[in-house]
Amino acid sequence: MKSFVIKLFTLFILLGVSSAYASVPAHSPEETVNNTHKEETYETKPFSEMVGGFLTSTGIYAFINPNPDELDSHGATISDFHKSWGRIIMIILTFFLFWLAIRKGFEPLLLLPIAFGGLLANIPIAGIAGEHGFLGIIYNMGLSNEMFPILIFMGVGAMTDFGPLLSNPKTALLGGAAQFGIFGTLVGAVALSHFGLADFTLQQASAISIIGGADGPTSIFIATKLAPELLGAIAVASYSYMAMVPIIQPPIMKALTSEAERKIKMTTLRHVSRLEKLVFPIMVLTLAILVLPAATPLIGAFMFGNFLKESGVVERLNDTLQNSLINIVTIFLGLGVGSKLAANEFLVPDTMFIMALGIVAFSVGTASGVIMAKIMNLFPGNKVNPLIGSAGVSAVPMAARVSNKVGMEYDRSNMLLMHAMGPNVAGVIGSAVAAGVLISLFQ
Amino acid sequence: METNLILEGFKFMGLGMATVFAFLVILILMINLMSIIIHKYFPEPQAGNVITNAPTASANKNNKDNKKIIAAITAAITRHRQA
């Protein structure tokens, strides 16, 4: 037995050695062919020519002398302006966004990735935002198919507490009224095209108007579905206005309310049982299924996150949704949106109109929330402080904090934060429903 | 054609706002109904019940934990002595 094993072993060694020898002559001709091939293609160049060739591949050269053959992601040619000065302007603009995010604290979590994505997207030659660049890959991976906004919605759902809404359900109406900002702006955008100032189709007008919902993921979801060419401008407008909530909202709130109204104290919120919080997400989803299935991707993801949280038995999943997952997706979402800040897509007249319409949408939403609260006060029942009406635009939890802060300015003891969270989360549902309506109209 | 577009916008607005409000009004009614049902048929356990149950449960758990800790310590000591 032992000798057999040894024989077998020597046989293998012999085979191995012979095959190794056999393979050497088979390989060597190829290698020599390769070597000669290389020698043929590589010609010695004078050093000046090498330097010249290198200089044409620098950024400075590309900014001054744009490559005429460069195509954008749709295969169309890009104008020289967008390849030279446009890029420089966009890079300076991203520096401004950095300043807003870092110095002014405007939604830095999203604005920083978006701005850096924009910076990368405007680099000539590298083509980072192109089909095969990493920003382009991120964009195709999760933005063009609406994946990332949905994932963000799951995380937001897991972070949301519907308690304040459940204990004072009628404040949900405020979240509904604020959606007036969306549809009011839709009319505005259509009117702009009517008077020949801009050229928006109904789809584009709808995608722009959703900025009034003050809900970043919803805006991105709708924009990618209805008008992907406007995504960059819409996302930037949406997030920068959300960040500017503390500047935009207070003047409108103060202009529409009297001092006595601002001092209204609301009755304390009742305790909400765990079962109520557990049933609520299923209830909303059921309602969405029956009334508006087009809104279920957004509402479904939102309620999934909330259901996991309220179930109380999947703490690990809940924790992942609230932290790791939403953080990872935020990075990708920001970079992906940033890739749409490429000069040839962003520096167009439409962007200016989108920015202008966005702020109109926001202001109208805020105003109609406040006015709705005043209307509700005409009816008998517990009084509502109109300041919480402004929280009906989503922008969770920033808008609710603004309501609280303005309320405290007039009465130090008036804590409106929890009362404002009701309309605030209702606003998220409201804008998801509005988004569903817009989607269903165009399908 | 062009005048139609603005009209179209207003139609969208009417339909959209009606849907949003209808959704939220139904939601409000359902929340109220749900809270009535839950408070009537599935009231939260009284605070007293929770207190009477809690110590026994936590005591059991503590016992179990203590036993585990003791086992771990003894194991560590024996290993240390052997070494």
Side-chain angles (χ1 to χ4, degrees), chain A residues 166 169 172-173 176-177 179-180 183 186-187 190 194 202 270-271 273-276 279-280 283-284 287-288 429 433 437 441-442, chain B residues 2-3 5-10 12-13 15-17 19-28 30-32 34-35 38-39 42 44:
Chain A
L166 286 167
L173 287 179
Q179 308 316 317
F180 198 75
F183 294 103
L186 176 60
V187 176
V190 172
H194 173 66
L202 265 180
R270 71 168 175 85
H271 175 70
S273 75
R274 202 183 139 218
L275 192 61
E276 280 176 272
V279 173
F280 181 75
M283 203 173 78
V284 177
L287 192 57
I429 299 176
V433 172
V437 174
L441 283 172
F442 290 111
Chain B
E2 278 185 334
T3 36
L5 215 53
I6 292 189
L7 193 69
E8 209 66 10
F10 275 107
F12 276 38
M13 183 161 86
L15 181 67
M17 288 311 287
T19 318
V20 171
F21 269 109
F23 192 94
L24 289 173
V25 168
I26 300 172
L27 190 66
I28 293 170
M30 280 172 75
I31 292 173
N32 286 331
M34 175 186 78
S35 71
I38 285 180
H39 280 277
F42 309 97
E44 283 214 311

Short mmCIF file of all heavy atoms in Angstrom, two decimals, chain A residues 166 169 172-173 176-177 179-180 183 186-187 190 194 202 270-271 273-276 279-280 283-284 287-288 429 433 437 441-442, chain B residues 2-3 5-10 12-13 15-17 19-28 30-32 34-35 38-39 42 44:
data_model
loop_
_atom_site.label_atom_id
_atom_site.label_comp_id
_atom_site.label_asym_id
_atom_site.label_seq_id
_atom_site.Cartn_x
_atom_site.Cartn_y
_atom_site.Cartn_z
N LEU A 166 -51.98 61.35 16.64
CA LEU A 166 -53.05 60.46 17.12
C LEU A 166 -53.81 61.11 18.27
O LEU A 166 -55.01 60.89 18.42
CB LEU A 166 -52.45 59.13 17.57
CG LEU A 166 -52.00 58.23 16.43
CD1 LEU A 166 -51.14 57.10 16.94
CD2 LEU A 166 -53.20 57.68 15.69
N PRO A 169 -56.14 64.44 16.34
CA PRO A 169 -56.20 64.11 14.90
C PRO A 169 -56.60 65.29 14.02
O PRO A 169 -56.19 65.34 12.87
CB PRO A 169 -57.25 63.01 14.82
CG PRO A 169 -57.51 62.56 16.20
CD PRO A 169 -57.06 63.63 17.13
N ALA A 172 -54.44 67.21 11.55
CA ALA A 172 -54.04 66.66 10.25
C ALA A 172 -54.52 67.55 9.11
O ALA A 172 -53.89 67.61 8.05
CB ALA A 172 -54.58 65.25 10.09
N LEU A 173 -55.63 68.26 9.35
CA LEU A 173 -56.16 69.14 8.30
C LEU A 173 -55.15 70.22 7.93
O LEU A 173 -55.08 70.66 6.79
CB LEU A 173 -57.46 69.80 8.79
CG LEU A 173 -58.68 68.88 8.84
CD1 LEU A 173 -59.88 69.65 9.36
CD2 LEU A 173 -58.99 68.33 7.45
N GLY A 176 -52.93 69.03 5.47
CA GLY A 176 -53.57 68.97 4.16
C GLY A 176 -53.55 70.33 3.49
O GLY A 176 -53.23 70.46 2.31
N ALA A 177 -53.87 71.37 4.28
CA ALA A 177 -53.96 72.72 3.71
C ALA A 177 -52.63 73.15 3.12
O ALA A 177 -52.58 73.81 2.09
CB ALA A 177 -54.41 73.71 4.78
N GLN A 179 -50.62 71.59 1.50
CA GLN A 179 -50.38 71.04 0.16
C GLN A 179 -50.91 71.98 -0.91
O GLN A 179 -50.68 71.77 -2.10
CB GLN A 179 -51.01 69.65 0.00
CG GLN A 179 -50.65 68.67 1.08
CD GLN A 179 -49.18 68.69 1.42
OE1 GLN A 179 -48.34 68.74 0.55
NE2 GLN A 179 -48.87 68.69 2.71
N PHE A 180 -51.65 73.00 -0.46
CA PHE A 180 -52.10 74.03 -1.40
C PHE A 180 -50.90 74.65 -2.09
O PHE A 180 -50.99 75.08 -3.23
CB PHE A 180 -52.90 75.07 -0.64
CG PHE A 180 -53.77 75.91 -1.49
CD1 PHE A 180 -54.93 75.40 -2.02
CD2 PHE A 180 -53.42 77.22 -1.78
CE1 PHE A 180 -55.74 76.17 -2.82
CE2 PHE A 180 -54.21 78.00 -2.58
CZ PHE A 180 -55.38 77.48 -3.11
N PHE A 183 -50.21 72.64 -5.34
CA PHE A 183 -51.10 72.80 -6.49
C PHE A 183 -51.19 74.25 -6.93
O PHE A 183 -51.39 74.53 -8.12
CB PHE A 183 -52.47 72.21 -6.16
CG PHE A 183 -52.40 70.72 -5.98
CD1 PHE A 183 -52.42 70.16 -4.71
CD2 PHE A 183 -52.26 69.89 -7.07
CE1 PHE A 183 -52.33 68.79 -4.54
CE2 PHE A 183 -52.16 68.52 -6.90
CZ PHE A 183 -52.20 67.97 -5.64
N LEU A 186 -48.34 74.69 -9.16
CA LEU A 186 -48.59 74.01 -10.43
C LEU A 186 -49.28 74.98 -11.38
O LEU A 186 -48.87 75.15 -12.54
CB LEU A 186 -49.46 72.78 -10.17
CG LEU A 186 -49.92 71.98 -11.39
CD1 LEU A 186 -48.73 71.48 -12.16
CD2 LEU A 186 -50.79 70.82 -10.96
N VAL A 187 -50.30 75.68 -10.86
CA VAL A 187 -50.99 76.68 -11.68
C VAL A 187 -50.01 77.77 -12.09
O VAL A 187 -49.98 78.20 -13.25
CB VAL A 187 -52.19 77.27 -10.91
CG1 VAL A 187 -52.84 78.37 -11.71
CG2 VAL A 187 -53.20 76.18 -10.58
N VAL A 190 -47.69 76.57 -14.85
CA VAL A 190 -48.42 76.47 -16.12
C VAL A 190 -48.66 77.87 -16.68
O VAL A 190 -48.52 78.11 -17.89
CB VAL A 190 -49.74 75.71 -15.90
CG1 VAL A 190 -50.58 75.76 -17.14
CG2 VAL A 190 -49.46 74.28 -15.53
N HIS A 194 -47.68 79.70 -20.14
CA HIS A 194 -48.74 80.30 -20.95
C HIS A 194 -48.33 81.68 -21.44
O HIS A 194 -48.55 82.03 -22.59
CB HIS A 194 -50.02 80.39 -20.12
CG HIS A 194 -51.11 81.15 -20.81
ND1 HIS A 194 -51.72 80.69 -21.95
CD2 HIS A 194 -51.68 82.34 -20.52
CE1 HIS A 194 -52.63 81.56 -22.34
NE2 HIS A 194 -52.62 82.58 -21.50
N LEU A 202 -46.81 70.01 -18.70
CA LEU A 202 -47.58 69.77 -17.47
C LEU A 202 -46.81 68.87 -16.52
O LEU A 202 -46.81 69.07 -15.30
CB LEU A 202 -48.92 69.12 -17.81
CG LEU A 202 -50.09 70.10 -17.94
CD1 LEU A 202 -51.35 69.34 -18.29
CD2 LEU A 202 -50.29 70.90 -16.67
N ARG A 270 -53.36 64.11 25.01
CA ARG A 270 -53.69 62.92 25.81
C ARG A 270 -52.66 61.82 25.54
O ARG A 270 -51.94 61.86 24.53
CB ARG A 270 -55.10 62.42 25.48
CG ARG A 270 -55.21 61.80 24.11
CD ARG A 270 -56.52 61.08 23.93
NE ARG A 270 -56.65 60.61 22.56
CZ ARG A 270 -56.16 59.47 22.11
NH1 ARG A 270 -55.48 58.68 22.91
NH2 ARG A 270 -56.34 59.11 20.85
N HIS A 271 -52.64 60.85 26.45
CA HIS A 271 -51.72 59.73 26.27
C HIS A 271 -52.22 58.83 25.14
O HIS A 271 -53.41 58.59 24.99
CB HIS A 271 -51.64 58.94 27.58
CG HIS A 271 -50.82 57.70 27.46
ND1 HIS A 271 -49.46 57.73 27.31
CD2 HIS A 271 -51.19 56.40 27.43
CE1 HIS A 271 -49.02 56.51 27.21
NE2 HIS A 271 -50.03 55.67 27.28
N SER A 273 -52.02 55.06 23.44
CA SER A 273 -51.58 53.71 23.80
C SER A 273 -50.71 53.12 22.69
O SER A 273 -50.74 53.56 21.54
CB SER A 273 -52.78 52.81 24.07
OG SER A 273 -53.38 52.46 22.86
N ARG A 274 -49.95 52.11 23.08
CA ARG A 274 -49.03 51.49 22.13
C ARG A 274 -49.79 50.84 20.97
O ARG A 274 -49.35 50.88 19.82
CB ARG A 274 -48.21 50.44 22.88
CG ARG A 274 -46.91 50.13 22.18
CD ARG A 274 -46.14 49.05 22.87
NE ARG A 274 -45.58 48.19 21.86
CZ ARG A 274 -45.49 46.88 21.95
NH1 ARG A 274 -45.94 46.27 23.03
NH2 ARG A 274 -44.97 46.17 20.99
N LEU A 275 -50.94 50.26 21.30
CA LEU A 275 -51.72 49.57 20.28
C LEU A 275 -52.18 50.54 19.20
O LEU A 275 -52.16 50.22 18.00
CB LEU A 275 -52.92 48.87 20.94
CG LEU A 275 -53.68 47.89 20.06
CD1 LEU A 275 -52.76 46.76 19.62
CD2 LEU A 275 -54.88 47.33 20.79
N GLU A 276 -52.58 51.74 19.63
CA GLU A 276 -53.00 52.75 18.65
C GLU A 276 -51.88 53.06 17.68
O GLU A 276 -52.08 53.15 16.47
CB GLU A 276 -53.41 54.04 19.37
CG GLU A 276 -54.80 54.01 19.94
CD GLU A 276 -55.08 55.28 20.71
OE1 GLU A 276 -54.78 55.33 21.92
OE2 GLU A 276 -55.59 56.23 20.11
N VAL A 279 -51.45 50.17 15.27
CA VAL A 279 -52.50 50.00 14.26
C VAL A 279 -52.43 51.11 13.20
O VAL A 279 -52.71 50.88 12.03
CB VAL A 279 -53.89 49.99 14.94
CG1 VAL A 279 -55.00 49.98 13.92
CG2 VAL A 279 -54.02 48.77 15.85
N PHE A 280 -51.98 52.31 13.64
CA PHE A 280 -52.03 53.47 12.75
C PHE A 280 -51.34 53.27 11.39
O PHE A 280 -51.96 53.55 10.35
CB PHE A 280 -51.45 54.70 13.47
CG PHE A 280 -51.49 55.94 12.65
CD1 PHE A 280 -52.69 56.61 12.45
CD2 PHE A 280 -50.34 56.44 12.05
CE1 PHE A 280 -52.73 57.76 11.68
CE2 PHE A 280 -50.38 57.58 11.28
CZ PHE A 280 -51.58 58.24 11.09
N MET A 283 -53.38 51.21 9.19
CA MET A 283 -54.61 51.90 8.83
C MET A 283 -54.37 52.87 7.66
O MET A 283 -55.13 52.89 6.69
CB MET A 283 -55.11 52.66 10.05
CG MET A 283 -56.55 52.98 10.04
SD MET A 283 -57.00 53.69 11.63
CE MET A 283 -56.40 55.34 11.44
N VAL A 284 -53.31 53.67 7.77
CA VAL A 284 -53.00 54.63 6.71
C VAL A 284 -52.74 53.90 5.41
O VAL A 284 -53.23 54.29 4.34
CB VAL A 284 -51.78 55.49 7.09
CG1 VAL A 284 -51.44 56.44 5.95
CG2 VAL A 284 -52.04 56.27 8.35
N LEU A 287 -55.88 52.63 3.86
CA LEU A 287 -56.61 53.74 3.24
C LEU A 287 -55.98 54.10 1.90
O LEU A 287 -56.68 54.33 0.91
CB LEU A 287 -56.58 54.94 4.20
CG LEU A 287 -57.50 56.11 3.88
CD1 LEU A 287 -58.94 55.63 3.80
CD2 LEU A 287 -57.35 57.18 4.95
N ALA A 288 -54.64 54.13 1.86
CA ALA A 288 -53.95 54.46 0.62
C ALA A 288 -54.21 53.42 -0.45
O ALA A 288 -54.40 53.73 -1.62
CB ALA A 288 -52.45 54.59 0.87
N ILE A 429 -47.65 62.83 5.13
CA ILE A 429 -48.67 61.98 4.50
C ILE A 429 -49.37 62.76 3.39
O ILE A 429 -49.58 62.26 2.29
CB ILE A 429 -49.69 61.49 5.55
CG1 ILE A 429 -48.98 60.67 6.62
CG2 ILE A 429 -50.80 60.68 4.90
CD1 ILE A 429 -49.88 60.23 7.74
N VAL A 433 -49.65 61.91 -0.55
CA VAL A 433 -50.92 61.75 -1.27
C VAL A 433 -50.95 62.64 -2.50
O VAL A 433 -51.33 62.21 -3.59
CB VAL A 433 -52.11 62.07 -0.32
CG1 VAL A 433 -53.41 62.10 -1.10
CG2 VAL A 433 -52.18 61.07 0.80
N VAL A 437 -51.43 61.68 -6.39
CA VAL A 437 -52.40 62.25 -7.33
C VAL A 437 -51.68 62.65 -8.62
O VAL A 437 -52.13 62.32 -9.72
CB VAL A 437 -53.09 63.49 -6.71
CG1 VAL A 437 -53.97 64.17 -7.73
CG2 VAL A 437 -53.91 63.10 -5.50
N LEU A 441 -52.26 61.04 -12.34
CA LEU A 441 -52.78 61.84 -13.45
C LEU A 441 -51.97 61.64 -14.72
O LEU A 441 -52.47 61.86 -15.82
CB LEU A 441 -52.74 63.33 -13.07
CG LEU A 441 -53.85 63.78 -12.13
CD1 LEU A 441 -53.61 65.20 -11.67
CD2 LEU A 441 -55.21 63.68 -12.81
N PHE A 442 -50.70 61.24 -14.56
CA PHE A 442 -49.84 61.13 -15.75
C PHE A 442 -49.59 59.69 -16.16
O PHE A 442 -48.67 59.41 -16.91
CB PHE A 442 -48.53 61.86 -15.52
CG PHE A 442 -48.71 63.35 -15.46
CD1 PHE A 442 -48.54 64.02 -14.27
CD2 PHE A 442 -49.10 64.05 -16.58
CE1 PHE A 442 -48.73 65.39 -14.22
CE2 PHE A 442 -49.29 65.40 -16.53
CZ PHE A 442 -49.10 66.07 -15.34
N GLU B 2 -53.63 77.07 -25.56
CA GLU B 2 -52.82 77.61 -24.49
C GLU B 2 -53.66 77.98 -23.28
O GLU B 2 -53.27 77.78 -22.15
CB GLU B 2 -52.04 78.83 -24.99
CG GLU B 2 -50.78 78.41 -25.73
CD GLU B 2 -49.93 79.58 -26.14
OE1 GLU B 2 -50.50 80.67 -26.31
OE2 GLU B 2 -48.72 79.39 -26.29
N THR B 3 -54.84 78.56 -23.53
CA THR B 3 -55.71 78.91 -22.42
C THR B 3 -56.12 77.65 -21.67
O THR B 3 -56.30 77.67 -20.46
CB THR B 3 -56.97 79.66 -22.89
OG1 THR B 3 -57.36 79.10 -24.13
CG2 THR B 3 -56.73 81.15 -23.01
N LEU B 5 -54.35 75.23 -20.93
CA LEU B 5 -53.31 74.76 -20.03
C LEU B 5 -53.50 75.29 -18.61
O LEU B 5 -53.37 74.56 -17.63
CB LEU B 5 -51.94 75.17 -20.59
CG LEU B 5 -50.80 74.19 -20.35
CD1 LEU B 5 -51.14 72.81 -20.84
CD2 LEU B 5 -49.54 74.69 -21.01
N ILE B 6 -53.85 76.59 -18.51
CA ILE B 6 -54.08 77.16 -17.18
C ILE B 6 -55.31 76.51 -16.54
O ILE B 6 -55.32 76.15 -15.37
CB ILE B 6 -54.25 78.69 -17.26
CG1 ILE B 6 -52.91 79.32 -17.66
CG2 ILE B 6 -54.70 79.25 -15.93
CD1 ILE B 6 -52.87 80.80 -17.56
N LEU B 7 -56.33 76.37 -17.36
CA LEU B 7 -57.55 75.71 -16.89
C LEU B 7 -57.20 74.31 -16.38
O LEU B 7 -57.66 73.87 -15.33
CB LEU B 7 -58.54 75.63 -18.05
CG LEU B 7 -59.98 75.26 -17.64
CD1 LEU B 7 -60.61 76.39 -16.85
CD2 LEU B 7 -60.80 74.93 -18.86
N GLU B 8 -56.32 73.67 -17.15
CA GLU B 8 -55.88 72.32 -16.78
C GLU B 8 -55.22 72.35 -15.39
O GLU B 8 -55.45 71.50 -14.55
CB GLU B 8 -54.87 71.84 -17.83
CG GLU B 8 -54.82 70.35 -18.03
CD GLU B 8 -56.08 69.79 -18.63
OE1 GLU B 8 -56.97 70.57 -19.07
OE2 GLU B 8 -56.20 68.58 -18.64
N GLY B 9 -54.39 73.38 -15.18
CA GLY B 9 -53.74 73.55 -13.88
C GLY B 9 -54.75 73.66 -12.76
O GLY B 9 -54.60 73.02 -11.71
N PHE B 10 -55.80 74.45 -12.99
CA PHE B 10 -56.81 74.61 -11.94
C PHE B 10 -57.56 73.30 -11.71
O PHE B 10 -57.91 72.97 -10.58
CB PHE B 10 -57.79 75.73 -12.31
CG PHE B 10 -57.27 77.08 -11.91
CD1 PHE B 10 -56.80 77.98 -12.86
CD2 PHE B 10 -57.22 77.45 -10.56
CE1 PHE B 10 -56.30 79.21 -12.49
CE2 PHE B 10 -56.72 78.68 -10.18
CZ PHE B 10 -56.25 79.57 -11.15
N PHE B 12 -56.28 70.35 -12.03
CA PHE B 12 -55.36 69.55 -11.22
C PHE B 12 -55.46 69.96 -9.76
O PHE B 12 -55.50 69.13 -8.85
CB PHE B 12 -53.91 69.77 -11.68
CG PHE B 12 -53.50 68.93 -12.83
CD1 PHE B 12 -54.39 68.65 -13.84
CD2 PHE B 12 -52.23 68.41 -12.91
CE1 PHE B 12 -54.01 67.87 -14.91
CE2 PHE B 12 -51.84 67.62 -13.97
CZ PHE B 12 -52.73 67.36 -14.97
N MET B 13 -55.51 71.27 -9.55
CA MET B 13 -55.53 71.78 -8.19
C MET B 13 -56.80 71.30 -7.47
O MET B 13 -56.74 70.82 -6.35
CB MET B 13 -55.48 73.31 -8.20
CG MET B 13 -55.44 73.92 -6.84
SD MET B 13 -54.83 75.60 -6.90
CE MET B 13 -56.32 76.46 -7.23
N LEU B 15 -58.74 68.73 -8.16
CA LEU B 15 -58.72 67.28 -7.92
C LEU B 15 -57.72 66.93 -6.81
O LEU B 15 -58.03 66.17 -5.89
CB LEU B 15 -58.34 66.56 -9.22
CG LEU B 15 -58.29 65.04 -9.11
CD1 LEU B 15 -59.69 64.50 -8.88
CD2 LEU B 15 -57.68 64.43 -10.36
N GLY B 16 -56.54 67.54 -6.90
CA GLY B 16 -55.49 67.21 -5.94
C GLY B 16 -55.87 67.59 -4.53
O GLY B 16 -55.78 66.77 -3.60
N MET B 17 -56.33 68.83 -4.34
CA MET B 17 -56.67 69.27 -2.99
C MET B 17 -57.84 68.46 -2.45
O MET B 17 -57.89 68.10 -1.27
CB MET B 17 -57.00 70.77 -2.96
CG MET B 17 -55.80 71.66 -3.13
SD MET B 17 -54.41 71.25 -2.07
CE MET B 17 -54.97 71.78 -0.48
N THR B 19 -58.58 65.39 -3.17
CA THR B 19 -58.10 64.06 -2.76
C THR B 19 -57.35 64.13 -1.44
O THR B 19 -57.57 63.32 -0.54
CB THR B 19 -57.16 63.47 -3.83
OG1 THR B 19 -57.70 63.74 -5.11
CG2 THR B 19 -56.97 61.99 -3.65
N VAL B 20 -56.45 65.12 -1.33
CA VAL B 20 -55.67 65.24 -0.10
C VAL B 20 -56.59 65.41 1.10
O VAL B 20 -56.46 64.73 2.13
CB VAL B 20 -54.67 66.41 -0.20
CG1 VAL B 20 -54.02 66.67 1.14
CG2 VAL B 20 -53.60 66.12 -1.23
N PHE B 21 -57.56 66.33 0.97
CA PHE B 21 -58.45 66.57 2.11
C PHE B 21 -59.34 65.37 2.40
O PHE B 21 -59.55 65.02 3.56
CB PHE B 21 -59.29 67.83 1.88
CG PHE B 21 -58.61 69.05 2.41
CD1 PHE B 21 -58.09 70.01 1.56
CD2 PHE B 21 -58.45 69.22 3.78
CE1 PHE B 21 -57.42 71.11 2.06
CE2 PHE B 21 -57.80 70.32 4.29
CZ PHE B 21 -57.28 71.28 3.43
N ALA B 22 -59.85 64.76 1.33
CA ALA B 22 -60.69 63.57 1.54
C ALA B 22 -59.90 62.51 2.29
O ALA B 22 -60.37 61.92 3.27
CB ALA B 22 -61.17 63.04 0.20
N PHE B 23 -58.66 62.30 1.85
CA PHE B 23 -57.79 61.30 2.49
C PHE B 23 -57.62 61.62 3.97
O PHE B 23 -57.80 60.76 4.83
CB PHE B 23 -56.43 61.29 1.79
CG PHE B 23 -55.56 60.13 2.14
CD1 PHE B 23 -55.55 59.00 1.35
CD2 PHE B 23 -54.75 60.17 3.26
CE1 PHE B 23 -54.75 57.92 1.67
CE2 PHE B 23 -53.94 59.09 3.59
CZ PHE B 23 -53.95 57.96 2.78
N LEU B 24 -57.30 62.88 4.25
CA LEU B 24 -57.01 63.24 5.64
C LEU B 24 -58.28 63.23 6.50
O LEU B 24 -58.23 62.84 7.67
CB LEU B 24 -56.31 64.59 5.71
CG LEU B 24 -54.87 64.56 5.17
CD1 LEU B 24 -54.28 65.94 5.09
CD2 LEU B 24 -53.99 63.67 6.02
N VAL B 25 -59.41 63.64 5.92
CA VAL B 25 -60.65 63.63 6.71
C VAL B 25 -61.03 62.19 7.06
O VAL B 25 -61.36 61.89 8.21
CB VAL B 25 -61.79 64.34 5.94
CG1 VAL B 25 -63.13 64.08 6.61
CG2 VAL B 25 -61.53 65.84 5.89
N ILE B 26 -60.95 61.31 6.06
CA ILE B 26 -61.24 59.90 6.35
C ILE B 26 -60.27 59.39 7.40
O ILE B 26 -60.64 58.66 8.34
CB ILE B 26 -61.15 59.04 5.07
CG1 ILE B 26 -62.16 59.52 4.03
CG2 ILE B 26 -61.42 57.57 5.38
CD1 ILE B 26 -61.99 58.85 2.67
N LEU B 27 -59.00 59.80 7.27
CA LEU B 27 -57.98 59.37 8.23
C LEU B 27 -58.35 59.84 9.64
O LEU B 27 -58.24 59.07 10.61
CB LEU B 27 -56.62 59.93 7.80
CG LEU B 27 -55.43 59.37 8.55
CD1 LEU B 27 -55.26 57.90 8.24
CD2 LEU B 27 -54.16 60.12 8.17
N ILE B 28 -58.77 61.09 9.76
CA ILE B 28 -59.13 61.63 11.08
C ILE B 28 -60.29 60.83 11.68
O ILE B 28 -60.26 60.43 12.85
CB ILE B 28 -59.51 63.12 10.97
CG1 ILE B 28 -58.27 63.95 10.59
CG2 ILE B 28 -60.11 63.63 12.27
CD1 ILE B 28 -58.59 65.37 10.22
N MET B 30 -61.09 57.81 10.97
CA MET B 30 -60.65 56.47 11.32
C MET B 30 -59.81 56.47 12.60
O MET B 30 -59.90 55.55 13.41
CB MET B 30 -59.84 55.86 10.16
CG MET B 30 -60.74 55.32 9.06
SD MET B 30 -59.83 54.83 7.60
CE MET B 30 -59.08 53.31 8.15
N ILE B 31 -59.00 57.53 12.78
CA ILE B 31 -58.20 57.61 14.02
C ILE B 31 -59.14 57.69 15.22
O ILE B 31 -58.96 56.99 16.22
CB ILE B 31 -57.27 58.84 14.01
CG1 ILE B 31 -56.18 58.69 12.96
CG2 ILE B 31 -56.63 59.04 15.37
CD1 ILE B 31 -55.34 59.93 12.77
N ASN B 32 -60.16 58.54 15.11
CA ASN B 32 -61.09 58.69 16.23
C ASN B 32 -61.80 57.38 16.53
O ASN B 32 -61.92 56.98 17.68
CB ASN B 32 -62.11 59.79 15.92
CG ASN B 32 -61.48 61.17 16.04
OD1 ASN B 32 -60.54 61.35 16.80
ND2 ASN B 32 -61.96 62.12 15.27
N MET B 34 -60.80 54.39 15.79
CA MET B 34 -59.84 53.42 16.30
C MET B 34 -59.58 53.67 17.78
O MET B 34 -59.54 52.73 18.58
CB MET B 34 -58.53 53.53 15.52
CG MET B 34 -57.42 52.66 16.06
SD MET B 34 -55.89 52.96 15.22
CE MET B 34 -55.36 54.47 15.97
N SER B 35 -59.40 54.94 18.17
CA SER B 35 -59.07 55.19 19.57
C SER B 35 -60.25 54.83 20.47
O SER B 35 -60.06 54.33 21.58
CB SER B 35 -58.62 56.63 19.77
OG SER B 35 -59.71 57.49 19.62
N ILE B 38 -60.19 50.99 20.66
CA ILE B 38 -59.07 50.47 21.45
C ILE B 38 -59.25 50.78 22.93
O ILE B 38 -59.00 49.93 23.78
CB ILE B 38 -57.73 51.04 20.89
CG1 ILE B 38 -57.40 50.32 19.59
CG2 ILE B 38 -56.60 50.85 21.90
CD1 ILE B 38 -56.14 50.77 18.92
N HIS B 39 -59.74 51.99 23.23
CA HIS B 39 -59.90 52.32 24.65
C HIS B 39 -61.01 51.50 25.30
O HIS B 39 -60.98 51.25 26.49
CB HIS B 39 -60.15 53.82 24.81
CG HIS B 39 -58.89 54.60 24.73
ND1 HIS B 39 -58.05 54.78 25.81
CD2 HIS B 39 -58.30 55.22 23.68
CE1 HIS B 39 -57.00 55.47 25.43
NE2 HIS B 39 -57.12 55.74 24.13
N PHE B 42 -59.59 47.21 24.21
CA PHE B 42 -58.22 46.81 24.53
C PHE B 42 -57.54 47.87 25.38
O PHE B 42 -56.59 48.50 24.93
CB PHE B 42 -57.39 46.61 23.24
CG PHE B 42 -58.04 45.72 22.23
CD1 PHE B 42 -58.77 46.25 21.18
CD2 PHE B 42 -57.91 44.34 22.33
CE1 PHE B 42 -59.37 45.43 20.24
CE2 PHE B 42 -58.51 43.51 21.39
CZ PHE B 42 -59.24 44.06 20.34
N GLU B 44 -55.11 49.71 27.91
CA GLU B 44 -53.73 49.41 28.30
C GLU B 44 -53.75 48.82 29.69
O GLU B 44 -54.56 49.21 30.53
CB GLU B 44 -52.90 50.70 28.29
CG GLU B 44 -52.51 51.13 26.92
CD GLU B 44 -51.14 51.80 26.90
OE1 GLU B 44 -50.94 52.69 27.74
OE2 GLU B 44 -50.31 51.41 26.09
#
